[in-house]
Amino acid sequence: MEVRIKCSYIVRPTNPTYKGVYQLSEWDQIGVITHVPTIYFYKSSDEWVASSKSMIDILKESLSRVLIYFYPLAGRIRWKGGGRLELLCNGKGVKLIEAESYKCLCDFDDFDSQTAVFENLIPFVDYNKPIVELPLVLGQLTKFRCGGVCLGVKISHAVVDGQSALHFMAEWARLARGEPLKMAPYIDPYIYQNQYLPKILTRNIHIEFNPPQFLVGEESNVKEREKATSVSILHLTKVHVESLKKASNVKSECHIRRPYTRYEVISAHIWKCACKARKHVYEQPTYLDFSIDVRNRVHPPLPPKYLGNAILDMVASSKSGEIMTRPLRYTCARIREAIEKVNDEYIWSNIDFWKSLPDLSPFQDIHGLKSKEGPFYGNPNIGVISWLTLPIYGLDFGWGKEIYMGPGTHDSDGDCLILPGPMNDGSVKVAICLQVGHMDEFKKYFYEDIPT
Ligand code: COA
């Protein structure tokens, strides 16, 4: 889609904020340390057409005020050796772009099938530049011919996780609407050090430190990384979700203490369909990688609205053959097993491991999602992230709630997100990126294998 950039602004906090260096936690520096994209579309409203204030001015002004509270996001990150990053709180500001397009919102028809065209509506970040030059937050407001707009946002995963990023977005919108801040973020970059308990568990129980599996017969994932990928957004109705739950939560099996959740049954189903579409052999080892929010899993829990990364990357493992041939509840149990391991001790022991490494770079995705280095959860593995309990909808900057919110573009094989349906009707969306050669089969199994 053709988009014309009209203007680009650097927005700094209105008032002076803390200046100094924060050491980032180890979790800030492993996995994806690039920016996470999201996109929001808004219909034109008569009220706004008549308004004397421009949307971009509202966004700029509220952004400069919200950055007083979220000042780490107005800073920059820089390398400090050993593949480690630190955060410079220097108020250099965030980037806001004003753009326009000759298209109308009605041209999108179904937003979910158009994710490829979102690329020009979300700010571009040039990772070839020195990392210290890159803003941690970038926004792009694009106005369409019909008066509708879209806001594409990218936020650095090296500084905040999904919960913290959404807190920032919600408070930005609140100030834009003319309301006061609801809750300031809790900023303590040393939180994981203050409570640091050394070497509680032996490291060999930490499956998440193992490199992802390779295809049987291969000694690396180089060939798999190079294959072309495509993205699909698939829908599960409430009935589909209930069928998956019913099939996994068989009453006669009383060994499970509580029924498998939506995340457990849906990710088990996705894992199974991916193994089938990729035509794995029975003995193929496979990992399912996922993020666990630890805010309430550590003791004491992290303070409310802690700003930073509080997610641990965990792994469930199995042989593909078992996943493909055994009932879905077998795969749910593998996932539940992995989730339940992550208690207070496990979390501190995980942090302890990352702290002990002299070099974190092999564990980082720094060059964007098509990186040839860093962790790769493509074939024969999969990474399924839950946004099911994240407050992703209802972002109102004063011109009404969005008519569509989406995860932006993801182009790495095996990258998968589970989102709640936007109507709060019990439906679920699955945004998945797979190799082009596997996508059609995946979609077929995804719907055919739902028990009736
Ligand atoms: N928030 C929390 N729990 C809710 C909820 C809400 N808004 N609404 C309902 N629940 C209840 C439900 O019973 C739900 O079960 P259901 O999905 O079958 O209806 C259950 O809590 C979910 O509990 P949860 O602890 O979230 O377990 P899970 O099995 O669904 O998910 C994880 C497991 C590991 C994915 C989840 O614990 C987690 O950490 N999610 C956060 C991921 C995250 O931060 N993603 C962004 C990464 S940047």
Side-chain angles (χ1 to χ4, degrees):
M1 174 191 291
E2 219 171 284
V3 171
R4 189 176 81 84
I5 305 290
K6 286 174 69 185
C7 212
S8 173
Y9 311 91
I10 290 292
V11 182
R12 298 189 171 85
T14 323
N15 296 345
T17 50
Y18 167 80
K19 299 276 184 303
V21 179
Y22 277 161
Q23 299 311 316
L24 289 170
S25 83
E26 266 61 23
W27 283 344
D28 294 320
Q29 307 178 57
I30 50 169
V32 177
I33 58 164
T34 48
H35 296 70
V36 176
T38 45
I39 192 161
Y40 303 81
F41 286 86
Y42 297 89
K43 268 199 308 211
S44 130
S45 77
D46 294 343
E47 208 182 308
W48 270 96
V49 173
S51 164
S52 58
K53 293 180 194 164
S54 77
M55 287 175 168
I56 195 79
D57 285 342
I58 300 265
L59 287 181
K60 269 194 294 183
E61 190 271 335
S62 49
L63 189 51
S64 65
R65 284 195 294 126
V66 82
L67 285 172
I68 300 171
Y69 306 97
F70 289 83
Y71 63 85
L73 290 172
R76 297 289 183 270
I77 49 176
R78 73 173 174 205
W79 294 112
K80 62 167 191 170
R84 283 179 160 74
L85 289 161
E86 60 189 5
L87 172 64
L88 305 174
C89 295
N90 55 15
K92 287 253 180 199
V94 309
K95 188 170 182 178
L96 192 59
I97 298 163
E98 188 179 8
E100 61 185 10
S101 164
Y102 66 93
K103 288 263 184 193
C104 282
L105 286 182
C106 58
D107 294 332
F108 284 90
D109 190 21
D110 162 25
F111 289 101
D112 279 341
S113 60
Q114 308 274 321
T115 54
V117 304
F118 291 172
E119 205 171 336
N120 292 346
L121 301 170
I122 297 174
F124 171 74
V125 181
D126 183 358
Y127 293 106
N128 291 319
K129 285 189 173 172
I131 206 160
V132 72
E133 290 177 19
L134 304 176
L136 301 176
V137 177
L138 302 96
Q140 177 176 324
L141 183 75
T142 305
K143 195 161 189 182
F144 298 101
R145 197 158 39 93
C146 56
V149 294
C150 103
L151 180 65
V153 181
K154 273 190 175 164
I155 303 187
S156 169
H157 211 318
V159 181
V160 287
D161 61 10
Q163 285 283 4
S164 289
L166 288 165
H167 178 209
F168 165 73
M169 293 297 291
E171 296 292 357
W172 177 16
R174 208 183 302 277
L175 297 194
R177 294 198 299 271
E179 293 172 24
L181 195 87
K182 187 171 179 196
M183 193 165 182
Y186 181 90
I187 300 172
D188 176 1
Y190 302 103
I191 204 153
Y192 298 118
Q193 284 169 18
N194 295 345
Q195 305 181 31
Y196 170 52
L197 301 173
K199 300 185 185 61
I200 299 166
L201 294 179
T202 51
R203 283 180 194 149
N204 57 13
I205 69 155
H206 282 271
I207 182 174
E208 72 274 20
F209 301 150
N210 297 346
Q213 302 287 358
F214 299 145
L215 278 174
V216 168
E218 298 285 337
E219 284 174 5
S220 83
N221 52 30
V222 171
K223 281 193 222 153
E224 294 308 299
R225 280 183 195 257
E226 283 171 0
K227 294 187 178 158
T229 57
S230 71
V231 174
S232 290
I233 298 192
L234 307 175
H235 296 250
L236 290 174
T237 63
K238 186 178 178 183
V239 175
H240 288 145
V241 176
E242 277 167 2
S243 301
L244 289 168
K245 276 188 138 184
K246 198 168 153 209
S248 311
N249 292 307
V250 179
K251 281 211 177 81
S252 59
E253 303 213 346
C254 48
H255 61 273
I256 52 164
R257 276 176 285 115
R258 55 188 171 89
Y260 291 119
T261 62
R262 284 173 306 159
Y263 174 78
E264 288 164 338
V265 302
I266 297 167
S267 51
H269 178 61
I270 294 167
W271 198 5
K272 177 181 171 185
C273 297
C275 293
K276 287 174 78 173
R278 289 161 164 176
K279 301 200 177 356
H280 288 168
V281 295
Y282 191 93
E283 292 302 321
Q284 175 64 57
T286 172
Y287 280 176
L288 177 134
D289 173 71
F290 58 99
S291 297
I292 298 197
D293 184 349
V294 304
R295 284 169 174 77
N296 292 312
R297 286 179 189 265
V298 285
H299 297 296
L302 296 185
K305 302 298 178 194
Y306 163 73
L307 187 81
N309 272 293
I311 48 170
L312 184 150
D313 282 335
M314 191 53 186
V315 163
S317 77
S318 177
K319 276 185 194 154
S320 296
E322 306 261 26
I323 293 175
M324 291 188 286
T325 56
R326 295 182 67 169
L328 197 61
R329 58 184 178 275
Y330 159 81
T331 312
C332 295
R334 300 284 72 74
I335 298 169
R336 165 80 51 99
E337 213 172 71
I339 294 173
E340 290 196 332
K341 273 189 193 160
V342 183
N343 59 17
D344 190 50
E345 287 185 16
Y346 196 92
I347 292 164
W348 294 113
S349 151
N350 172 290
I351 293 174
D352 174 46
F353 170 76
W354 296 117
K355 279 182 194 297
S356 73
L357 289 186
D359 184 7
L360 291 179
S361 39
F363 303 94
Q364 291 163 338
D365 180 350
I366 34 177
H367 300 298
L369 297 170
K370 285 280 186 193
S371 170
K372 298 228 177 326
E373 301 143 34
F376 171 73
Y377 277 94
N379 194 17
N381 312 295
I382 194 148
V384 185
I385 304 293
S386 171
W387 282 9
L388 282 170
T389 51
L390 265 52
I392 54 175
Y393 298 119
L395 194 69
D396 177 2
F397 288 90
W399 41 83
K401 292 181 179 169
E402 78 281 355
I403 54 162
Y404 178 85
M405 181 276 174
T409 46
H410 292 261
D411 61 359
S412 185
D413 180 29
D415 223 11
C416 180
L417 269 181
I418 308 180
L419 300 89
M423 307 308 286
N424 198 19
D425 57 0
S427 68
V428 160
K429 292 208 284 190
V430 172
I432 185 159
C433 177
L434 289 173
Q435 290 174 19
V436 173
H438 298 149
M439 188 57 98
D440 284 347
E441 289 277 287
F442 177 85
K443 285 190 202 168
K444 181 169 89 82
Y445 295 127
F446 187 76
Y447 289 111
E448 274 181 13
D449 285 8
I450 296 173
T452 43

